Amino acid sequence: MTQEQTRPKHMAAGETPEQHAAFEARIARGEKIEPGDWMPAEYRRQLIRMISQHAHSEVVGMLPEGEWIARAPSLKRKTILMAKVQDEAGHGQYLYHAAETLGVTREEMLDALLTRKAKYSSIFNYPTLTWADVGMIGWLVDGAAIKNQTMLAGCSYGPYSRAMVRICSEETFHHKQGKEMMVLYAQGTPEQRQMAQDALNRWWWPAVQMLGPHDSDSPNTGALSKWGIKLKTNDEVRQEFINEHVPELLEAGLTIPDPDLHQDEAGNWVHGPIDWSEFWAVIKGEQGLGNERLATRQAAQDEGAWVREALEAYMARQAKGEAAD
């Protein structure tokens, strides 16, 4: 057999077992990998895929809630929602910058998004049918995201880890705001209680699914865990999310749309079978608003072209002036 045939799948041409051993020893010691450090090509590829997907999720995630800014029921709710949507844009910026440290350009990442070569969290392809959906996104979707992002704050790649620390602090506010809003409605008028319950019925299973496929069906978990990018598996994070949110939802007087939900002897809340058919259909664009979301992002990209061109012209003029000096 040739050296090419015997080389492990995660080891690129030109990389040596000694380099991988030294790299993995750093991970085992808890060291952070920084942009100028040597890293396996597959580690770099997985990070670019994961961080850019996370960034795309932040900017696409602005759309379902942004639709409600003009329809918020009060000035207070409007200003809170505006601040949240603005935060999500900032999170996208942090993450795009973190990915850029790995050698990929912003243009390459946005092109991958708009040409469907890159993914984003499919939960943002669900419609927000009522104002209560905005609150339930804050409580459940941001709640699930925090569980995942808190874990990623300890990941082995320094720029991603540091971005997560800041993002988590802001997402915690979003989560608290969503919970406060939904508890208020759950204890309100019959119409408000029904609106809150309907929103929970729509968002419970998508929130459970957004933490990713079961570990047995997740092809990237092995490499991500091996290199300290993911410190917990999808199912472990999902269990943490369910254990925290089930008691809170029940305390608010809401009914979780899972007839098989129960507690085991260890006190963990155990969910019923997950129907993944809708999850994959939304990812593939067979259901949901994926086409509309990407069309909106494409329009924003096209309409912002003149701003990018003006900035490039200004920077070129500045550089020319400095060269003349």
Side-chain angles (χ1 to χ4, degrees), residues 23 26-35 37-39 43 151-162 165 228-229 231:
F23 178 80
R26 291 189 62 192
I27 301 293
R29 291 194 296 269
E31 297 181 20
K32 295 295 184 187
I33 307 302
E34 299 297 339
D37 297 343
W38 185 89
M39 64 186 73
Y43 178 85
M151 176 265 293
L152 291 171
C155 81
S156 60
Y157 188 58
Y160 195 20
S161 172
R162 291 188 288 272
V165 171
I229 299 173
L231 306 182

mmCIF file of all heavy atoms in Angstrom, residues 23 26-35 37-39 43 151-162 165 228-229 231:
data_model
loop_
_atom_site.group_PDB
_atom_site.id
_atom_site.type_symbol
_atom_site.label_atom_id
_atom_site.label_comp_id
_atom_site.label_asym_id
_atom_site.label_seq_id
_atom_site.Cartn_x
_atom_site.Cartn_y
_atom_site.Cartn_z
ATOM 1 N N PHE A 23 0.200 18.603 18.278
ATOM 2 C CA PHE A 23 -1.001 19.439 18.266
ATOM 3 C C PHE A 23 -2.026 18.913 19.268
ATOM 4 O O PHE A 23 -2.593 19.677 20.065
ATOM 5 C CB PHE A 23 -1.585 19.462 16.859
ATOM 6 C CG PHE A 23 -2.854 20.267 16.723
ATOM 7 C CD1 PHE A 23 -2.804 21.647 16.613
ATOM 8 C CD2 PHE A 23 -4.095 19.638 16.707
ATOM 9 C CE1 PHE A 23 -3.966 22.391 16.489
ATOM 10 C CE2 PHE A 23 -5.257 20.380 16.582
ATOM 11 C CZ PHE A 23 -5.195 21.757 16.466
ATOM 12 N N ARG A 26 -1.206 19.641 22.836
ATOM 13 C CA ARG A 26 -1.581 21.006 23.235
ATOM 14 C C ARG A 26 -3.060 21.060 23.610
ATOM 15 O O ARG A 26 -3.439 21.701 24.597
ATOM 16 C CB ARG A 26 -1.300 21.986 22.099
ATOM 17 C CG ARG A 26 0.173 22.220 21.784
ATOM 18 C CD ARG A 26 0.333 23.375 20.805
ATOM 19 N NE ARG A 26 -0.175 24.610 21.408
ATOM 20 C CZ ARG A 26 -0.385 25.737 20.733
ATOM 21 N NH1 ARG A 26 -0.156 25.776 19.427
ATOM 22 N NH2 ARG A 26 -0.828 26.817 21.344
ATOM 23 N N ILE A 27 -3.886 20.408 22.797
ATOM 24 C CA ILE A 27 -5.321 20.376 23.093
ATOM 25 C C ILE A 27 -5.559 19.719 24.453
ATOM 26 O O ILE A 27 -6.339 20.211 25.277
ATOM 27 C CB ILE A 27 -6.092 19.601 22.000
ATOM 28 C CG1 ILE A 27 -5.883 20.231 20.620
ATOM 29 C CG2 ILE A 27 -7.571 19.506 22.353
ATOM 30 C CD1 ILE A 27 -6.469 21.585 20.435
ATOM 31 N N ALA A 28 -4.865 18.605 24.699
ATOM 32 C CA ALA A 28 -5.039 17.874 25.956
ATOM 33 C C ALA A 28 -4.620 18.710 27.158
ATOM 34 O O ALA A 28 -5.171 18.560 28.256
ATOM 35 C CB ALA A 28 -4.239 16.571 25.910
ATOM 36 N N ARG A 29 -3.628 19.597 26.963
ATOM 37 C CA ARG A 29 -3.177 20.467 28.062
ATOM 38 C C ARG A 29 -4.098 21.665 28.265
ATOM 39 O O ARG A 29 -3.895 22.456 29.188
ATOM 40 C CB ARG A 29 -1.752 20.965 27.785
ATOM 41 C CG ARG A 29 -0.684 19.883 27.855
ATOM 42 C CD ARG A 29 0.706 20.498 27.921
ATOM 43 N NE ARG A 29 1.033 21.245 26.716
ATOM 44 C CZ ARG A 29 1.643 20.745 25.638
ATOM 45 N NH1 ARG A 29 1.964 19.444 25.625
ATOM 46 N NH2 ARG A 29 1.916 21.497 24.593
ATOM 47 N N GLY A 30 -5.087 21.806 27.392
ATOM 48 C CA GLY A 30 -6.020 22.920 27.529
ATOM 49 C C GLY A 30 -5.528 24.215 26.928
ATOM 50 O O GLY A 30 -6.087 25.284 27.209
ATOM 51 N N GLU A 31 -4.506 24.152 26.090
ATOM 52 C CA GLU A 31 -3.990 25.363 25.455
ATOM 53 C C GLU A 31 -4.936 25.824 24.349
ATOM 54 O O GLU A 31 -5.611 25.023 23.720
ATOM 55 C CB GLU A 31 -2.598 25.111 24.873
ATOM 56 C CG GLU A 31 -1.542 24.759 25.899
ATOM 57 C CD GLU A 31 -0.177 24.535 25.258
ATOM 58 O OE1 GLU A 31 0.033 25.021 24.117
ATOM 59 O OE2 GLU A 31 0.664 23.869 25.886
ATOM 60 N N LYS A 32 -4.939 27.135 24.113
ATOM 61 C CA LYS A 32 -5.715 27.680 23.018
ATOM 62 C C LYS A 32 -4.855 27.711 21.751
ATOM 63 O O LYS A 32 -3.678 28.089 21.793
ATOM 64 C CB LYS A 32 -6.186 29.104 23.328
ATOM 65 C CG LYS A 32 -7.171 29.201 24.486
ATOM 66 C CD LYS A 32 -8.483 28.495 24.192
ATOM 67 C CE LYS A 32 -9.485 28.692 25.342
ATOM 68 N NZ LYS A 32 -10.697 27.870 25.152
ATOM 69 N N ILE A 33 -5.449 27.322 20.647
ATOM 70 C CA ILE A 33 -4.787 27.403 19.355
ATOM 71 C C ILE A 33 -5.073 28.783 18.778
ATOM 72 O O ILE A 33 -6.234 29.215 18.724
ATOM 73 C CB ILE A 33 -5.302 26.313 18.398
ATOM 74 C CG1 ILE A 33 -5.197 24.935 19.061
ATOM 75 C CG2 ILE A 33 -4.553 26.356 17.077
ATOM 76 C CD1 ILE A 33 -3.801 24.540 19.491
ATOM 77 N N GLU A 34 -4.027 29.487 18.366
ATOM 78 C CA GLU A 34 -4.171 30.835 17.842
ATOM 79 C C GLU A 34 -3.911 30.849 16.331
ATOM 80 O O GLU A 34 -3.347 29.903 15.785
ATOM 81 C CB GLU A 34 -3.224 31.791 18.573
ATOM 82 C CG GLU A 34 -3.472 31.894 20.072
ATOM 83 C CD GLU A 34 -4.849 32.459 20.430
ATOM 84 O OE1 GLU A 34 -5.469 33.134 19.559
ATOM 85 O OE2 GLU A 34 -5.328 32.221 21.551
ATOM 86 N N PRO A 35 -4.336 31.919 15.634
ATOM 87 C CA PRO A 35 -4.265 31.935 14.168
ATOM 88 C C PRO A 35 -2.893 31.629 13.571
ATOM 89 O O PRO A 35 -2.814 30.991 12.518
ATOM 90 C CB PRO A 35 -4.705 33.364 13.823
ATOM 91 C CG PRO A 35 -5.610 33.749 14.941
ATOM 92 C CD PRO A 35 -5.027 33.115 16.163
ATOM 93 N N ASP A 37 -0.596 29.686 14.778
ATOM 94 C CA ASP A 37 -0.084 28.380 15.182
ATOM 95 C C ASP A 37 -0.299 27.342 14.071
ATOM 96 O O ASP A 37 -1.219 27.451 13.266
ATOM 97 C CB ASP A 37 -0.792 27.887 16.450
ATOM 98 C CG ASP A 37 -0.533 28.787 17.646
ATOM 99 O OD1 ASP A 37 0.420 29.588 17.596
ATOM 100 O OD2 ASP A 37 -1.307 28.689 18.622
ATOM 101 N N TRP A 38 0.560 26.313 14.103
ATOM 102 C CA TRP A 38 0.327 25.206 13.173
ATOM 103 C C TRP A 38 -0.939 24.473 13.595
ATOM 104 O O TRP A 38 -1.211 24.283 14.787
ATOM 105 C CB TRP A 38 1.501 24.220 13.185
ATOM 106 C CG TRP A 38 1.327 23.138 12.153
ATOM 107 C CD1 TRP A 38 1.732 23.171 10.852
ATOM 108 C CD2 TRP A 38 0.641 21.887 12.341
ATOM 109 N NE1 TRP A 38 1.328 22.024 10.205
ATOM 110 C CE2 TRP A 38 0.664 21.203 11.089
ATOM 111 C CE3 TRP A 38 0.008 21.275 13.417
ATOM 112 C CZ2 TRP A 38 0.092 19.956 10.900
ATOM 113 C CZ3 TRP A 38 -0.574 20.024 13.236
ATOM 114 C CH2 TRP A 38 -0.529 19.371 11.985
ATOM 115 N N MET A 39 -1.713 24.072 12.616
ATOM 116 C CA MET A 39 -2.925 23.288 12.880
ATOM 117 C C MET A 39 -3.180 22.369 11.694
ATOM 118 O O MET A 39 -2.816 22.698 10.555
ATOM 119 C CB MET A 39 -4.131 24.210 13.107
ATOM 120 C CG MET A 39 -4.515 25.051 11.906
ATOM 121 S SD MET A 39 -5.842 26.257 12.270
ATOM 122 C CE MET A 39 -4.951 27.472 13.257
ATOM 123 N N TYR A 43 -8.652 20.434 10.822
ATOM 124 C CA TYR A 43 -9.067 21.281 11.946
ATOM 125 C C TYR A 43 -9.486 22.652 11.418
ATOM 126 O O TYR A 43 -10.537 23.184 11.789
ATOM 127 C CB TYR A 43 -7.905 21.399 12.925
ATOM 128 C CG TYR A 43 -8.118 22.282 14.138
ATOM 129 C CD1 TYR A 43 -8.737 21.783 15.282
ATOM 130 C CD2 TYR A 43 -7.651 23.599 14.164
ATOM 131 C CE1 TYR A 43 -8.905 22.576 16.418
ATOM 132 C CE2 TYR A 43 -7.813 24.394 15.288
ATOM 133 C CZ TYR A 43 -8.440 23.883 16.412
ATOM 134 O OH TYR A 43 -8.599 24.670 17.530
ATOM 135 N N MET A 151 -20.871 26.048 25.852
ATOM 136 C CA MET A 151 -19.922 24.966 25.636
ATOM 137 C C MET A 151 -18.804 25.414 24.691
ATOM 138 O O MET A 151 -17.619 25.166 24.929
ATOM 139 C CB MET A 151 -20.664 23.751 25.071
ATOM 140 C CG MET A 151 -19.799 22.562 24.696
ATOM 141 S SD MET A 151 -19.366 22.569 22.935
ATOM 142 C CE MET A 151 -20.963 22.299 22.190
ATOM 143 N N LEU A 152 -19.157 26.142 23.632
ATOM 144 C CA LEU A 152 -18.166 26.582 22.646
ATOM 145 C C LEU A 152 -17.229 27.653 23.201
ATOM 146 O O LEU A 152 -16.137 27.861 22.665
ATOM 147 C CB LEU A 152 -18.869 27.108 21.396
ATOM 148 C CG LEU A 152 -19.588 26.051 20.546
ATOM 149 C CD1 LEU A 152 -20.422 26.710 19.459
ATOM 150 C CD2 LEU A 152 -18.577 25.087 19.935
ATOM 151 N N ALA A 153 -17.634 28.333 24.272
ATOM 152 C CA ALA A 153 -16.746 29.329 24.887
ATOM 153 C C ALA A 153 -15.482 28.675 25.435
ATOM 154 O O ALA A 153 -14.476 29.351 25.660
ATOM 155 C CB ALA A 153 -17.483 30.073 26.005
ATOM 156 N N GLY A 154 -15.523 27.368 25.637
ATOM 157 C CA GLY A 154 -14.342 26.646 26.103
ATOM 158 C C GLY A 154 -13.617 25.914 24.999
ATOM 159 O O GLY A 154 -12.733 25.097 25.287
ATOM 160 N N CYS A 155 -13.961 26.183 23.735
ATOM 161 C CA CYS A 155 -13.358 25.430 22.636
ATOM 162 C C CYS A 155 -11.878 25.758 22.480
ATOM 163 O O CYS A 155 -11.383 26.745 22.999
ATOM 164 C CB CYS A 155 -14.111 25.672 21.330
ATOM 165 S SG CYS A 155 -13.679 27.176 20.471
ATOM 166 N N SER A 156 -11.193 24.938 21.722
ATOM 167 C CA SER A 156 -9.732 25.024 21.643
ATOM 168 C C SER A 156 -9.222 26.156 20.764
ATOM 169 O O SER A 156 -8.056 26.536 20.884
ATOM 170 C CB SER A 156 -9.160 23.694 21.131
ATOM 171 O OG SER A 156 -9.678 23.393 19.839
ATOM 172 N N TYR A 157 -10.060 26.714 19.879
ATOM 173 C CA TYR A 157 -9.582 27.780 18.999
ATOM 174 C C TYR A 157 -9.835 29.129 19.650
ATOM 175 O O TYR A 157 -10.981 29.513 19.894
ATOM 176 C CB TYR A 157 -10.254 27.706 17.631
ATOM 177 C CG TYR A 157 -9.638 28.671 16.636
ATOM 178 C CD1 TYR A 157 -8.283 28.602 16.322
ATOM 179 C CD2 TYR A 157 -10.399 29.670 16.038
ATOM 180 C CE1 TYR A 157 -7.705 29.494 15.437
ATOM 181 C CE2 TYR A 157 -9.831 30.558 15.145
ATOM 182 C CZ TYR A 157 -8.480 30.468 14.850
ATOM 183 O OH TYR A 157 -7.901 31.363 13.973
ATOM 184 N N GLY A 158 -8.773 29.864 19.944
ATOM 185 C CA GLY A 158 -8.854 31.092 20.719
ATOM 186 C C GLY A 158 -9.849 32.123 20.214
ATOM 187 O O GLY A 158 -10.703 32.594 20.983
ATOM 188 N N PRO A 159 -9.770 32.553 18.938
ATOM 189 C CA PRO A 159 -10.702 33.586 18.469
ATOM 190 C C PRO A 159 -12.171 33.187 18.574
ATOM 191 O O PRO A 159 -13.020 34.025 18.895
ATOM 192 C CB PRO A 159 -10.274 33.777 17.000
ATOM 193 C CG PRO A 159 -8.821 33.435 16.992
ATOM 194 C CD PRO A 159 -8.703 32.290 17.949
ATOM 195 N N TYR A 160 -12.487 31.929 18.328
ATOM 196 C CA TYR A 160 -13.873 31.465 18.439
ATOM 197 C C TYR A 160 -14.304 31.451 19.901
ATOM 198 O O TYR A 160 -15.391 31.903 20.249
ATOM 199 C CB TYR A 160 -13.982 30.069 17.836
ATOM 200 C CG TYR A 160 -15.391 29.584 17.552
ATOM 201 C CD1 TYR A 160 -16.463 30.467 17.433
ATOM 202 C CD2 TYR A 160 -15.643 28.219 17.370
ATOM 203 C CE1 TYR A 160 -17.740 30.001 17.144
ATOM 204 C CE2 TYR A 160 -16.922 27.751 17.080
ATOM 205 C CZ TYR A 160 -17.964 28.646 16.976
ATOM 206 O OH TYR A 160 -19.219 28.192 16.693
ATOM 207 N N SER A 161 -13.427 30.957 20.759
ATOM 208 C CA SER A 161 -13.720 30.898 22.184
ATOM 209 C C SER A 161 -13.998 32.296 22.742
ATOM 210 O O SER A 161 -14.981 32.502 23.463
ATOM 211 C CB SER A 161 -12.539 30.255 22.925
ATOM 212 O OG SER A 161 -12.702 30.355 24.321
ATOM 213 N N ARG A 162 -13.158 33.257 22.394
ATOM 214 C CA ARG A 162 -13.324 34.617 22.932
ATOM 215 C C ARG A 162 -14.573 35.290 22.373
ATOM 216 O O ARG A 162 -15.250 36.044 23.093
ATOM 217 C CB ARG A 162 -12.070 35.434 22.634
ATOM 218 C CG ARG A 162 -10.856 34.963 23.437
ATOM 219 C CD ARG A 162 -9.667 35.897 23.270
ATOM 220 N NE ARG A 162 -9.061 35.798 21.955
ATOM 221 C CZ ARG A 162 -8.095 34.935 21.626
ATOM 222 N NH1 ARG A 162 -7.654 34.061 22.530
ATOM 223 N NH2 ARG A 162 -7.574 34.918 20.417
ATOM 224 N N VAL A 165 -17.578 34.140 24.420
ATOM 225 C CA VAL A 165 -17.726 34.724 25.756
ATOM 226 C C VAL A 165 -18.585 35.980 25.686
ATOM 227 O O VAL A 165 -19.520 36.168 26.474
ATOM 228 C CB VAL A 165 -16.347 35.039 26.365
ATOM 229 C CG1 VAL A 165 -16.497 35.837 27.655
ATOM 230 C CG2 VAL A 165 -15.575 33.748 26.629
ATOM 231 N N GLY A 228 -11.167 19.240 20.545
ATOM 232 C CA GLY A 228 -11.585 20.206 21.556
ATOM 233 C C GLY A 228 -12.404 21.360 21.026
ATOM 234 O O GLY A 228 -12.511 22.400 21.687
ATOM 235 N N ILE A 229 -12.986 21.189 19.840
ATOM 236 C CA ILE A 229 -13.861 22.240 19.319
ATOM 237 C C ILE A 229 -15.223 22.137 19.996
ATOM 238 O O ILE A 229 -15.783 23.132 20.444
ATOM 239 C CB ILE A 229 -13.980 22.131 17.785
ATOM 240 C CG1 ILE A 229 -12.596 22.298 17.135
ATOM 241 C CG2 ILE A 229 -14.948 23.186 17.257
ATOM 242 C CD1 ILE A 229 -12.581 22.034 15.638
ATOM 243 N N LEU A 231 -17.011 20.371 23.215
ATOM 244 C CA LEU A 231 -16.685 19.720 24.481
ATOM 245 C C LEU A 231 -17.818 18.808 24.958
ATOM 246 O O LEU A 231 -17.644 18.058 25.911
ATOM 247 C CB LEU A 231 -16.376 20.772 25.543
ATOM 248 C CG LEU A 231 -15.288 21.795 25.162
ATOM 249 C CD1 LEU A 231 -15.039 22.750 26.305
ATOM 250 C CD2 LEU A 231 -14.002 21.105 24.737
#
